[in-house]
Amino acid sequence: MVPKTLTEEEMYAAILASDETYNGRFVTGVLTTGIYCIPSCHARKPKRENVRFFSNFDDARQEGLRACRKCKPDEFERGEDRELAALELIVARLREAPDRIAGVPDLAEAIGWGTTKLHEAVRRHYHRTPADLIAEARLDRAQQLLKDGEMPVTEVCFAVGFDSVSTFNARFREATGLTPTGYRDLAATNQFTIQLPADANLEPLRGRAERDSDGVIESFDGDTYRRAVTIDNQPATLELDLMPTKVQVTVHGDSPDMFAAHRMVSRILGLGQDPRAFETHCGKLSAEKLFEGRPGVRIALTPTVFDGLIWAIVGQQVNLTFARTLRRRLAETFGSPAPLDLTALPTPAQLVGRDPDAFVPLQFSRRKAEYLIGVAELSPTGFEELTSQSATRIEQTLMAIRGLGVWSTHYLMMRALGFADCVPLGDTGLAAGLRRHFALEASPKQPEQKALMEAFSPYRSLATYHLWQSLKDSA
């Protein structure tokens, strides 16, 4: 049986592109070789007349076809991926004891791969380099030690694997905006100052805040941005005074967890991202025009993963203005009043068990209401556990959730989880941005969007973001 939601032309284009986002949506049967494959298979591409499409693996087997030895569809069907499993295991060990891995060669030796294979696998599954994973593991462990104990900063430095206090201080400040001592001091204050990277560009954040602020969930006044959030089940308001080289943060609420507040602010400011690598890559492509007027831009992430999930579901198949209206109504009806006359979006607990009919007066479709209630019931933590998982595992998890598809999954990975190489295929803004950037006669369809974006890999998230911004430049 052929999948009803895709045309045969779309499926054939997907297998020509070895598009892994279609894995699980259909199965390819190759009549001349008698095998069946997942769409991402990199074997020699069959001619169109030799291909049959199936909705599941059983249908392909009933036609007498056998599993491809290259893409191993049976392992995919069982949820197995030996390469990914091995990589996830070594990453877990790295995060547990980052001081035991001195560098990339040690990481490659620990997993039993060459450095080339390691780089390729980490790029594919984590959208990072092995060196990035090592640095992140050290800094995450350092934050835990600074938060939980009284270990002197110098001892923390060596305990997590750094061999120089000056390097540790510089890396820590670049990733968090604070010194290690300043981070530890968060426990005793409701204010802190983020020192921005030298190349930081906050103009897109200012523009988004000024344009999108609804006065309910968030507000923007002069250089002050305020956002209502929930920290440890209590409403709070993050107040950010934006300055050229720093951001003064005040957290309003009833004894909020300041470490959690700092994490949210870091997400909003895009700390830890490196736009320089993307801009260098664009230079090699002679595509500097893509970020012209916007150097140093980092993608502003949602304060929490669940905030991103709400936006991804609310924004499906409606225009931006109406999506903002629906989000505001959702907060006013089911959220919590926060300091400074703002209202926080609802948490999973505030949506679990709701009757979908209660959303209809807010102009939600019943199906959209069911999707929101469904994701709330799946994870009481709002899927924050995803922040430590691989991009491959996260994509599999999100794609299995009712109400999420290719666009919403990659949007979430880009805007809520901070992965560097995502493309929300099918996005109308992406299509319009590509048409403008490449001077195309018509907006590209999904297969052409994917092909055009390949040049920007492994930085397609920032490329997507700048393509969206380019539309505002021409407005």
Side-chain angles (χ1 to χ4, degrees), residues 6-312:
L6 297 169
T7 67
E8 293 196 358
E9 289 73 19
E10 289 174 325
M11 290 186 283
Y12 188 63
I15 66 172
L16 291 180
S18 299
D19 192 339
E20 62 186 24
T21 63
Y22 284 84
N23 289 347
R25 301 183 69 188
F26 68 89
V27 179
T28 303
V30 185
L31 304 182
T32 49
T33 57
I35 64 172
Y36 62 90
C37 306
I38 53 178
S40 64
C41 186
H42 287 273
R44 184 177 178 179
K45 303 305 178 184
K47 294 181 179 180
R48 175 66 188 85
E49 60 267 24
N50 296 327
V51 173
R52 279 194 63 188
F53 298 106
F54 303 92
S55 61
N56 58 65
F57 295 99
D58 284 339
D59 286 351
R61 285 189 285 263
Q62 288 175 9
E63 289 295 317
L65 302 178
R66 66 183 187 281
C68 171
R69 293 181 179 178
K70 189 172 184 68
C71 66
K72 298 180 174 60
D74 290 356
E75 290 186 5
F76 177 86
E77 184 181 18
R78 293 192 298 267
E80 297 178 8
D81 186 329
R82 294 177 183 176
E83 178 185 89
L84 175 59
L87 185 56
E88 288 176 330
L89 178 61
I90 202 65
V91 169
R93 292 176 180 172
L94 168 66
R95 289 171 174 168
E96 183 178 345
D99 59 311
R100 297 181 183 177
I101 300 293
V104 174
D106 287 342
L107 190 62
E109 183 179 353
I111 198 172
W113 295 347
T115 55
T116 299
K117 179 178 179 178
L118 178 65
H119 274 85
E120 291 175 350
V122 172
R123 278 290 191 197
R124 180 165 60 255
H125 295 301
Y126 284 89
H127 297 193
R128 291 168 172 81
T129 66
D132 290 336
L133 286 183
I134 294 171
E136 289 169 9
R138 290 174 177 173
L139 292 170
D140 287 347
R141 179 64 177 153
Q143 288 178 63
Q144 181 181 335
L145 291 174
L146 290 167
K147 175 184 175 181
D148 295 343
E150 296 299 325
M151 184 183 292
V153 169
T154 300
E155 292 184 23
V156 171
C157 164
F158 298 117
V160 301
F162 284 97
D163 55 11
S164 162
V165 175
S166 60
T167 299
F168 171 55
N169 288 336
R171 292 287 181 86
F172 193 94
R173 181 166 173 171
E174 183 178 14
T176 68
L178 300 173
T179 64
T181 300
Y183 183 82
R184 170 172 281 162
D185 290 345
L186 288 174
T189 182
N190 74 324
Q191 291 186 321
F192 56 90
T193 300
I194 295 287
Q195 297 295 327
L196 297 170
D199 64 344
N201 183 344
L202 296 182
E203 289 310 308
L205 174 61
R206 292 175 184 271
R208 190 203 68 79
E210 186 172 10
R211 181 188 68 254
D212 296 349
S213 297
D214 51 25
V216 175
I217 302 166
E218 56 189 346
S219 66
F220 189 71
D221 181 17
D223 290 324
T224 301
Y225 171 66
R226 300 181 180 92
R227 172 67 191 255
V229 296
T230 299
I231 302 175
D232 288 341
N233 298 317
Q234 296 295 323
T237 295
L238 307 175
E239 185 173 45
L240 282 62
D241 290 318
L242 308 179
M243 307 175 204
T245 62
K246 61 186 179 181
V247 176
Q248 176 69 43
V249 181
T250 304
V251 184
H252 303 270
D254 185 11
S255 301
D257 179 344
M258 292 299 291
F259 297 102
H262 172 267
R263 184 167 58 250
M264 291 181 180
V265 171
S266 296
R267 291 166 58 85
I268 291 170
L269 296 176
L271 297 183
Q273 300 175 29
D274 183 11
R276 290 164 293 186
F278 162 73
E279 292 165 11
T280 299
H281 184 75
C282 285
K284 295 176 182 178
L285 301 174
S286 298
E288 296 92 340
K289 188 176 181 181
L290 181 59
F291 62 88
E292 187 176 17
R294 295 182 300 276
V297 163
R298 290 158 170 79
I299 298 175
L301 305 185
T302 55
T304 69
V305 177
F306 195 67
D307 283 357
L309 273 162
I310 287 175
W311 181 253

Side-chain angles (χ1 to χ4, degrees), residues 401-436:
I401 295 175
R402 180 171 179 255
L404 301 183
V406 173
W407 174 85
S408 41
T409 292
H410 281 256
Y411 179 88
L412 279 164
M413 292 174 67
M414 171 184 168
R415 295 302 300 270
L417 291 156
F419 283 99
D421 201 29
C422 301
V423 187
L425 294 173
D427 184 85
T428 55
L430 174 64
L434 285 169
R435 179 180 182 182
R436 181 177 184 272

